[in-house]
Amino acid sequence: MDLTGTGTVVTGAGNGIGATLARRLAEAGAEVVVNDLDAGAAEAVATEIGGLAVPGDAASEDGVTALIAEAAAHLNGIDLYVANAGVGTSGGPEAPEADWDLAWQVNVMAHVRATRELLPGWLERGRGHFVSTVSAAGLLTMLGSAPYSVTKHAALSFGEWLSATYGDRGVTVQCVCPMGVRTNLLEQSGDTGKAILAPEAITPEEVADAVMAGMADGRFLILPHPHVADHYTARATDTDTWLAGMRRLQNKVFGDGGKT
């Protein structure tokens, strides 16, 4: 896949998966705008890869509008948008309203707002590429974190809708769905997250390998942990058995009858 001169935006690119993807895309010849809430981190990555740092909020309506306007002006148009920024919040229905809202804004509405800005130009040109970091939680679930699970399912659903609606009009949509990745997000996931995800956690570089391969062949689901496909199939074809297995894992992890 020739990315030479491809105008690219990567959100949440100050560290972890986003930073690694920004580096890999720049190595492949893309012109990269690096976005992150952490201005210092965004500047550091942009300087390293010869890109432009546009720090700020990639989720709010004003933040998305400003990011895309500045990036489009610098790149002379955006060809590839990587919606990588995400947040993980724990708990179930009892989680604070603010946590639910944060997860919804960052994990879902950031994608909606970005494509709202990008689609008119992409449809006019007949080409555009949207990649979102969804997580395997969007295909399966994440024990101990209802806000994360629910919003990642919504992000996947939105990606599916985009592909079904605009895929024949030149817009490529892909969802990246890793399990555990050795990033700050995993470190901040607490004992529960580490117990579930750490044993099979891979590096951001391995995620980037999968993304580059997936972008080359255009597949909708990019699965850095290939066996997620088996779990996804089991969930769809024998949901009750899959749920029974998840309840066993819940009891094993929490050791208190499944209470979080």
Side-chain angles (χ1 to χ4, degrees):
M1 183 179 186
D2 186 8
L3 292 171
T4 303
T6 300
T8 302
V9 176
V10 184
T11 69
N15 54 64
I17 294 173
T20 304
L21 283 175
R23 295 185 185 102
R24 191 68 62 85
L25 290 164
E27 288 170 3
E31 298 179 21
V32 182
V33 167
V34 178
N35 163 266
D36 202 278
L37 275 175
D38 184 334
E43 291 284 357
V45 174
T47 299
E48 176 188 343
I49 66 174
L52 173 71
V54 181
D57 184 359
S60 71
E61 191 168 2
D62 289 345
V64 171
T65 300
L67 167 61
I68 289 177
E70 186 170 350
H74 173 75
L75 298 168
N76 194 29
I78 297 169
D79 305 300
L80 169 63
Y81 192 94
V82 183
N84 171 74
V87 294
T89 56
S90 62
E94 80 290 345
E97 288 284 325
D99 287 0
W100 279 96
D101 185 60
L102 177 64
W104 183 253
Q105 296 301 322
V106 178
N107 296 343
V108 183
M109 292 308 298
H111 302 187
V112 174
R113 289 164 178 149
T115 52
R116 184 185 294 154
E117 296 287 330
L118 294 164
L119 278 169
W122 285 356
L123 293 173
E124 183 178 350
R125 290 188 298 170
R127 60 183 172 86
H129 198 154
F130 186 79
V131 176
S132 59
T133 302
V134 170
S135 159
L139 295 168
L140 306 171
T141 194
M142 179 60 193
L143 297 176
S145 181
Y148 188 75
S149 298
V150 170
T151 55
K152 289 300 186 178
H153 273 267
L156 179 71
S157 180
F158 183 64
E160 290 172 338
W161 185 90
L162 286 174
S163 183
T165 304
Y166 300 111
D168 285 343
R169 298 176 65 184
V171 178
T172 299
V173 181
Q174 297 179 287
C175 292
V176 187
C177 300
M179 295 180 75
V181 183
R182 295 178 199 135
T183 65
N184 291 337
L185 191 61
L186 179 59
E187 289 302 312
Q188 295 165 3
S189 66
D191 293 340
T192 300
K194 291 178 183 177
I196 296 170
L197 299 174
E200 296 184 271
I202 60 176
T203 65
E205 288 73 20
E206 290 173 289
V207 176
D209 289 341
V211 172
M212 298 303 285
M215 288 178 61
D217 66 24
R219 73 191 81 158
F220 176 74
L221 287 180
I222 299 176
L223 305 178
H225 294 79
H227 62 280
V228 166
D230 297 328
H231 297 313
Y232 188 40
T233 299
R235 173 181 174 269
T237 57
D238 191 352
T239 306
D240 289 326
T241 297
W242 179 79
L243 281 171
M246 292 303 293
R247 286 193 291 270
R248 286 194 296 272
L249 179 58
Q250 170 87 355
N251 291 330
K252 179 181 177 180
V253 169
F254 293 101
D256 59 358
K259 297 176 182 178
T260 58

